Amino acid sequence: MLNIPTQSFPAPSSQQRVAPSGQSGRGKVALKPGHSLMDWIRFSKSGKDLTGLRGRLIEVTQEELQKHNTREDCWTCIRGMVYNVTPYMDYHPGGEEELMKAAGIDGTGLFDQVHRWVNYESMLKECLVGRMATKPTTAIKAIVPVPPVTCLAPPISVAPPREKDSLPWYDWFQTDVTVHVVVYTKRKIPSSGCTIVDLEAGILRLEVLLGKMSYMMHLCLAEEVEGTISVHTAFSVGKIQISIRKKAKGKWTSLGQPLEFHNTFLRKKDRAPYYRHCVMVSKTEVNHNTHLFRLQLPRGTIMHVPVGKHVYLKAFIQDSEIVRPYTPVVQHMAIASHQSSQDSDLYLMIKVYPDGVFTQHLNSLHTGDRIYVSGPEGMFTVRPLRDVTHLYLLAAGTGFTPMARLIQLALQNTDTIRHTGLLFFNQREEDILWRCELDELAANNDSFQVEYVLSEPCESWTGRKGRVEESMLQDFLNRPDGSKCYACVCGPAAFTDLTIGLLKQQGFSEGELCAFQG
């Protein structure tokens, strides 16, 4: 009997990730009527044999996999598991051309490039043929070995060997009323978004994001504690201290029992997303089809999503797990000094599609309802903006979402970024997101400029018209002598690809460009 893993999302070895912008729905093709996501869910649960093997699971050799490489007979392998994706061809939002790129081969790399966040284990579970006969060679290995499951009484014994001075390690100390955990990252750390802490039912999960790497502590604490925590960070020396109040006074003989992936240092993309239940606090209309959703983190969670990164939302819809990535925005476009620095809620600007399974579900939520939210994801970093003088943002539709916080960040750093320009593409005037706020921001800040471009304008529209093209960018971009420019692009895949190409024609190098893609 084959040892087939339980179909769950995310699988323990899953590497579901998405490109920096965290935007979904880009690069889609027009599906035939009756071939939506919900249609696929209903079809996959109809009891029909979608593998052609009448319910059998087999071991698939490399030679056998290669035989199934046609439109009418298409198998592919993702992380060691083989799926017959032939029935899914007409339901795939990216079209059959994208699926055929992985026909008869290991499609893990192609899958990760396009949409690592997709819960393929759930989506294709009825298409599962079996496991590859050869053992996958991409097993994830921790750089720091996981310690044996024993009590953590002497803290020094659980730290990595001290000769590995570049690796993070931790220590702990206590008083009669508090427990303090100290992480030494052994490097300078960014001023925000570095540490995510979750404390629930006595389980402490702490993740420190260090560039492309992730250090994690995961413990069942030895005694009961209060539900709130505090985090203090010494950024220049790379020291993070987490303080927790004990429920009962007294000394602990150990910190607790280590759990899965405790004391490990991995590439961030090799960790499966961790979800916590967040509460919907409010839903505010932005325009005729877009809302601003405000989500509240659990009491025992401390998390800040850095600028340009995204989170995953997960929901169970008709017994299927559906996941979508979204980039948090600001509460409003006013300068941050006018907003509460204590506000840790997430604000997500989401367009609700008439046939969108996930967005319709979100729109049906009421105040107090819960939804699963992951930690920060994505490879975007603000490091290239350190010495930029002119920042140009080109967005189409909901591609505006990662730009909102970039604008705010740029206006906070006027000592370096002297000019920020937003070229915002939409179909119609009523589609423009936060137009009044953007206009007000431009009126009150000489360093910020916004221009709108409509592809389907009304007769009274006096602004720019059409689609992105060379002469339009020539008018918008200004590269004074001695300036250092940077451009960010976000929108549908075709828009992003075309715009990046045009920017390169305008003299922008790879190091001066960021394409948010999803």
Side-chain angles (χ1 to χ4, degrees):
M1 170 102 34
L2 284 173
N3 182 22
I4 302 299
T6 302
Q7 297 301 321
S8 62
F9 176 78
S13 62
S14 186
Q15 300 177 28
Q16 288 128 24
R17 295 291 178 266
V18 72
S21 75
Q23 300 303 306
S24 62
R26 300 200 175 113
K28 291 184 177 180
V29 299
L31 296 174
K32 300 175 184 177
H35 287 77
S36 68
L37 172 60
M38 290 309 300
D39 291 318
W40 168 252
I41 291 174
R42 285 190 287 268
F43 179 64
S44 66
K45 294 181 179 179
S46 65
K48 294 183 179 180
D49 179 15
L50 301 187
T51 65
L53 299 175
R54 298 181 180 180
R56 291 183 298 117
L57 294 173
I58 64 173
E59 285 194 345
V60 182
T61 64
Q62 191 70 34
E63 293 74 21
E64 180 66 24
L65 178 63
Q66 291 172 355
K67 294 176 184 178
H68 303 271
N69 62 358
T70 67
R71 168 64 177 82
E72 293 72 28
D73 180 19
C74 182
W75 290 9
T76 190
C77 174
I78 304 177
R79 290 187 239 291
M81 308 307 295
V82 178
Y83 300 89
N84 180 357
V85 296
T86 314
Y88 185 58
M89 285 284 181
D90 291 335
Y91 296 87
H92 184 232
E96 67 176 62
E97 181 180 350
E98 289 299 315
L99 281 182
M100 287 303 298
K101 292 178 180 178
I105 63 173
D106 189 322
T108 304
L110 291 169
F111 177 84
D112 285 348
Q113 290 175 20
V114 180
H115 38 206
R116 296 172 181 168
W117 52 273
V118 172
N119 53 332
Y120 67 90
E121 298 102 324
S122 175
M123 194 73 68
L124 298 176
K125 62 184 177 181
E126 300 301 330
C127 300
L128 180 64
V129 171
R131 187 190 298 276
M132 285 297 294
T134 56
K135 185 178 179 180
T137 59
T138 56
I140 299 171
K141 294 183 179 180
I143 296 176
V144 179
V146 180
V149 180
T150 56
C151 288
L152 306 181
I156 295 179
S157 67
V158 299
R162 296 309 299 272
E163 62 268 22
K164 297 182 179 180
D165 284 337
S166 64
L167 300 178
W169 62 286
Y170 78 93
D171 202 344
W172 71 284
F173 63 95
Q174 61 179 313
T175 68
D176 283 342
V177 295
T178 56
V179 171
H180 305 275
V181 179
V182 183
V183 175
Y184 301 91
T185 66
K186 308 299 289 183
R187 67 209 72 198
K188 290 184 179 181
I189 54 180
S191 59
S192 65
C194 175
T195 306
I196 306 110
V197 185
D198 291 281
L199 178 61
E200 183 179 13
I203 303 297
L204 174 66
R205 184 185 187 277
L206 182 152
E207 184 176 9
V208 183
L209 304 180
L210 301 167
K212 296 181 179 180
M213 303 300 291
S214 161
Y215 175 74
M216 181 184 291
M217 291 181 59
H218 195 196
L219 290 161
C220 178
L221 296 175
E223 304 287 346
E224 290 188 359
V225 294
E226 301 290 344
T228 56
I229 52 180
S230 61
V231 177
H232 303 280
T233 306
F235 301 102
S236 61
V237 297
K239 176 182 173 182
I240 301 165
Q241 180 172 312
I242 297 91
S243 300
I244 310 169
R245 290 190 63 84
K246 299 176 179 177
K247 268 199 172 180
K249 291 183 178 181
K251 296 294 186 181
W252 292 7
T253 57
S254 70
L255 182 57
Q257 292 287 107
L259 301 174
E260 186 179 25
F261 299 120
H262 172 65
N263 199 30
T264 56
F265 191 43
L266 302 175
R267 293 177 301 175
K268 172 60 180 171
K269 72 183 187 70
D270 288 340
R271 289 203 193 277
Y274 175 80
Y275 292 90
R276 71 275 299 152
H277 259 129
C278 290
V279 175
M280 194 180 83
V281 176
S282 65
K283 180 179 65 177
T284 307
E285 184 177 288
V286 177
N287 67 6
H288 63 99
N289 60 9
T290 304
H291 292 83
L292 185 68
F293 294 83
R294 181 176 182 175
L295 304 180
Q296 185 180 66
L297 297 171
R299 179 188 176 200
T301 295
I302 292 181
M303 180 178 80
H304 173 75
V305 181
V307 173
K309 294 189 182 292
H310 56 273
V311 297
Y312 301 135
L313 301 190
K314 181 173 74 169
F316 294 86
I317 304 173
Q318 292 195 5
D319 297 326
S320 293
E321 295 178 356
I322 310 296
V323 175
R324 293 291 184 269
Y326 295 103
T327 304
V329 298
V330 290
Q331 183 177 4
H332 48 75
M333 289 304 299
I335 301 298
S337 58
H338 300 303
Q339 301 184 29
S340 171
S341 60
Q342 303 302 314
D343 188 359
S344 61
D345 292 349
L346 294 176
Y347 297 87
L348 302 173
M349 187 179 290
I350 299 174
K351 181 177 179 179
V352 179
Y353 294 90
D355 58 348
V357 174
F358 196 86
T359 57
Q360 286 292 337
H361 172 78
L362 282 178
N363 202 35
S364 71
L365 296 180
H366 299 93
T367 300
D369 287 346
R370 296 188 174 194
I371 189 164
Y372 288 102
V373 180
S374 79
E377 303 287 342
M379 298 306 297
F380 180 84
T381 173
V382 298
R383 189 175 297 118
L385 303 182
R386 286 177 178 174
D387 55 350
V388 165
T389 61
H390 289 65
L391 177 63
Y392 294 105
L393 311 173
L394 299 95
T398 52
F400 166 72
T401 54
M403 308 307 184
R405 295 178 68 198
L406 275 171
I407 292 169
Q408 192 178 80
L409 176 71
L411 296 182
Q412 291 173 336
N413 292 275
T414 52
D415 290 344
T416 53
I417 302 178
R418 301 195 300 269
H419 175 80
T420 302
L422 171 65
L423 194 58
F424 196 0
F425 295 80
N426 287 276
Q427 290 183 321
R428 295 172 295 274
E429 197 168 354
E430 60 265 29
D431 296 328
I432 301 174
L433 301 171
W434 271 351
R435 183 182 181 184
C436 291
E437 293 208 17
L438 290 169
D439 288 342
E440 182 180 355
L441 198 65
N444 295 329
N445 294 271
D446 293 337
S447 62
F448 177 63
Q449 168 198 7
V450 59
E451 293 190 39
Y452 308 104
V453 185
L454 299 183
S455 60
E456 300 176 13
C458 62
E459 292 184 1
S460 62
W461 177 255
T462 59
R464 291 183 182 269
K465 304 173 184 178
R467 301 180 186 276
V468 61
E469 45 89 16
E470 184 177 5
S471 62
M472 188 182 295
L473 295 190
Q474 288 176 340
D475 292 340
F476 181 70
L477 300 173
N478 179 28
R479 307 194 72 177
D481 292 340
S483 65
K484 180 169 177 55
C485 300
Y486 196 81
C488 297
V489 182
C490 190
F495 167 84
T496 300
D497 292 343
L498 176 58
T499 305
I500 289 294
L502 292 172
L503 287 168
K504 289 180 178 179
Q505 292 178 21
Q506 298 297 314
F508 281 78
S509 66
E510 290 284 353
E512 296 174 319
L513 293 171
C514 171
F516 291 101
Q517 295 176 334

